[in-house]
């Protein structure tokens, strides 16, 4: 018998629907048929493990070629745990973001804002044995998108995490406290539950802030937990 | 107890973390039956979805220092993707069941809020007949959306459609 501990289904309201029509391009892209319900197997309960030997950490996005990027330097620190509050140790986090002017170093980004020769916008960091991670960057700027008239994305940093299994894969975005654009953003508001939405907003943290150097923000991430007992067929 | 963090779309600019080398899972020197998995990603109406991320994971053969088991590829202007990996073998299922060889696939991209999860099986595998997941799909057309077809020497094609008439079977993960 292969007894398998699957991962718990999402708490209702805590995850966005792929059918989120206020985000216009979802309309032709979300499946119309119900998803096939199939209990997790080893395919879903295991997942890739990344080694710093193959994927070297890049924990300071604020310096390129020894020169400082334009913008407000920030430190982002947080802890990755699972739904049972256990640390997710030695897991890889990938981050990417626009520069201080709200422009991505990406050929598809045609926003009329300057590129910064000393900012690329990609980072990679591993959690420590207790789930903590930290990197240095600059605060990304807001940028326009064509979803609706006068649409602007709030300041955000994109995150990619893997965790223990393919089922724990997480792609998300970190926002900044007090951003007036959050109220109008259909991507942020695709998350139905207000508390779940607000957990995507980092908080200013004076303990992470470094004197004469950078403001600190705290952003914790929770990955799915396992079911309490192995599920039968 | 805490609640898992919400998904947000990977968006159009995920290429900042793209490394084209990651589309080749044999790049660290893995040996075995090397295959190429190709396909075209479309949305409703057969419109290609360029600039999206097709990522794969396979628990067979087991991941090792030379075989990450994970890879990802960009879709080009025509929605085409291409990944090089090792052909998976059978995978244990629940209880005493066995699953046919398959590769797990996530589709991520602009306009996809979370991820679309599916699997690629391989046409002609005897175990397909008794695979517990394929067995849930009575409609041969629906079932066919999960089965890659031979498209040349060691090359398999699986087209993926996010919505509409040829909509791929996506799995609740
Ligand atoms: Fe973005």
């Amino acid at each position: 018998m292969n007894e398998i501990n699957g991962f718990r289904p999402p708490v209702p309201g805590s995850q966005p629907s792929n059918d989120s029509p206020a985000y216009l391009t979802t309309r032709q892209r979300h499946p119309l048929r119900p998803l096939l319900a199939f209990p997790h197997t080893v395919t879903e309960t295991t997942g890739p493990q990344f080694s710093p030997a193959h994927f070297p950490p890049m924990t300071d996005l604020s310096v390129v070629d020894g020169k400082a990027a334009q913008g407000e330097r920030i430190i982002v620190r947080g802890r990755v745990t699972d739904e049972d509050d256990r640390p997710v140790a030695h897991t890889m986090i990938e981050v990417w973001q626009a520069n201080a002017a709200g422009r991505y170093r990406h050929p598809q980004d045609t926003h009329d804002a300057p590129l910064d020769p000393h900012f690329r916008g990609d980072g990679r960091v591993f959690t420590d044995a207790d789930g903590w991670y930290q990197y240095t960057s600059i605060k990304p700027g807001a940028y326009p998108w064509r979803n609706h008239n006068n649409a602007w994305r709030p300041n955000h940093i994109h995150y990619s995490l893997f965790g223990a299994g393919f089922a724990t894969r997480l792609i998300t975005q970190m926002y900044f406290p007090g951003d007036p654009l959050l109220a109008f953003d259909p991507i942020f508001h695709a998350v139905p539950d207000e508390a779940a939405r607000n957990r995507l907003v980092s908080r200013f943290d004076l303990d992470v802030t470094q004197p004469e150097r950078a403001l600190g923000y705290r952003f914790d991430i929770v990955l799915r937990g396992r079911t309490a007992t192995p599920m039968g067929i | 107890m805490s609640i898992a963090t919400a998904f947000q779309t990977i968006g159009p600019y995920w290429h900042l973390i793209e490394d084209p080398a990651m589309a080749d899972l044999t790049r660290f020197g893995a040996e075995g039956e090397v295959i190429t998995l190709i396909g075209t990603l479309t949305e409703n109406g057969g419109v290609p979805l360029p600039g999206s991320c097709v990522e794969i994971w396979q628990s067979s053969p087991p991941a090792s220092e030379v075989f990450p088991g994970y890879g990802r590829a960009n879709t080009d202007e025509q929605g085409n993707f291409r990944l090089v990996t090792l052909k998976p073998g059978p995978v244990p299922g629940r209880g005493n069941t066995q699953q046919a060889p398959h590769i797990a696939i996530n589709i991520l991209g602009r306009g996809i809020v979370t991820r679309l999860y599916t699997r690629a099986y391989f046409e002609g595998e005897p175990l397909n007949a008794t695979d517990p997941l394929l067995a849930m799909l009575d409609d041969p057309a629906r079932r066919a959306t999960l089965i890659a077809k031979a498209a040349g020497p060691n090359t398999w094609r699986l087209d993926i459609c996010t919505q509409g008439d040829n909509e791929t079977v996506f799995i609740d993960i």
Side-chain angles (χ1 to χ4, degrees), chain A residues 29 40 43-44 85 94 175, chain B residues 2 8 43 72 94 117:
Chain A
R29 292 179 195 171
H40 292 163
T43 303
E44 291 80 24
D85 303 322
E94 299 167 286
Y175 299 96
Chain B
S2 300
Q8 296 277 269
E43 61 178 4
R72 61 190 178 208
R94 287 180 168 267
Y117 174 57

Side-chain angles (χ1 to χ4, degrees), chain A residues 15 18 23 27 29-30 32 36 40 43-44 83 85 94 106 166 169 171-172 175 222 224 231, chain B residues 2 5-8 15 43 55 72 94-95 102 110-111 114-115 117 119 163 167 170 172-173:
Chain A
Q15 291 291 340
N18 284 311
Y23 176 14
R27 294 182 182 185
R29 292 179 195 171
H30 71 275
L32 297 174
L36 180 69
H40 292 163
T43 303
E44 291 80 24
E83 287 177 300
D85 303 322
E94 299 167 286
H106 189 288
F166 209 49
R169 184 87 168 100
I171 305 285
T172 190
Y175 299 96
V222 179
R224 292 168 75 178
M231 290 189 293
Chain B
S2 300
T5 302
F7 263 81
Q8 296 277 269
H15 304 95
E43 61 178 4
E55 66 174 13
R72 61 190 178 208
R94 287 180 168 267
H102 63 274
R110 185 169 75 94
T114 63
R115 56 161 156 177
Y117 174 57
R119 286 180 173 188
Q163 187 190 90
E167 186 174 305
F170 293 104
D172 190 2
I173 187 168

Side-chain angles (χ1 to χ4, degrees), chain A residues 18 23 25-26 29 96 158 171 173 187, chain B residues 8-15 41 49-55 74-75 106-116 162:
Chain A
N18 284 311
Y23 176 14
T25 51
T26 65
R29 292 179 195 171
W96 68 102
H158 293 267
I171 305 285
Q173 299 179 27
I187 293 177
Chain B
Q8 296 277 269
T9 181
I10 201 169
Y13 304 125
W14 69 274
H15 304 95
L41 178 67
L49 271 183
S52 303
C53 177
V54 177
E55 66 174 13
N74 176 48
T75 58
N106 276 334
I107 306 300
L108 300 155
R110 185 169 75 94
I112 296 171
V113 175
T114 63
R115 56 161 156 177
L116 304 180
T162 65

Side-chain angles (χ1 to χ4, degrees), chain B residues 19-173:
Chain B
D19 174 0
M22 287 177 78
D24 182 356
L25 286 72
T26 66
R27 68 192 181 282
F28 301 124
E31 290 178 6
E33 187 183 345
V34 177
I35 60 167
T36 302
L37 179 66
I38 59 171
T40 305
L41 178 67
T42 55
E43 61 178 4
N44 202 336
V47 178
L49 271 183
S52 303
C53 177
V54 177
E55 66 174 13
I56 63 172
W57 160 248
Q58 53 193 87
S59 58
S60 168
S64 68
E65 264 301 298
V66 293
F67 184 65
Y70 170 85
R72 61 190 178 208
N74 176 48
T75 58
D76 69 13
E77 282 307 304
Q78 287 76 44
N80 298 317
F81 61 89
R82 182 178 186 278
L83 292 140
V84 175
T85 187
L86 298 181
K87 180 104 183 283
V91 175
R94 287 180 168 267
N96 296 315
T97 63
Q98 199 169 36
Q99 303 184 85
H102 63 274
I103 292 174
I105 303 178
N106 276 334
I107 306 300
L108 300 155
R110 185 169 75 94
I112 296 171
V113 175
T114 63
R115 56 161 156 177
L116 304 180
Y117 174 57
T118 188
R119 286 180 173 188
Y121 288 85
F122 298 88
E123 187 172 45
E125 285 285 344
L127 280 171
N128 286 349
T130 53
D131 180 84
L133 188 148
L134 292 177
M136 297 177 73
L137 300 166
D138 297 328
D139 178 353
R142 295 283 289 153
R143 189 182 159 106
T145 67
L146 300 185
I147 300 179
K149 302 203 168 29
N154 302 313
T155 301
W156 297 84
R157 166 171 280 274
L158 185 74
D159 294 331
I160 297 173
C161 179
T162 65
Q163 187 190 90
D165 292 340
N166 301 315
E167 186 174 305
T168 292
V169 171
F170 293 104
I171 304 159
D172 190 2
I173 187 168

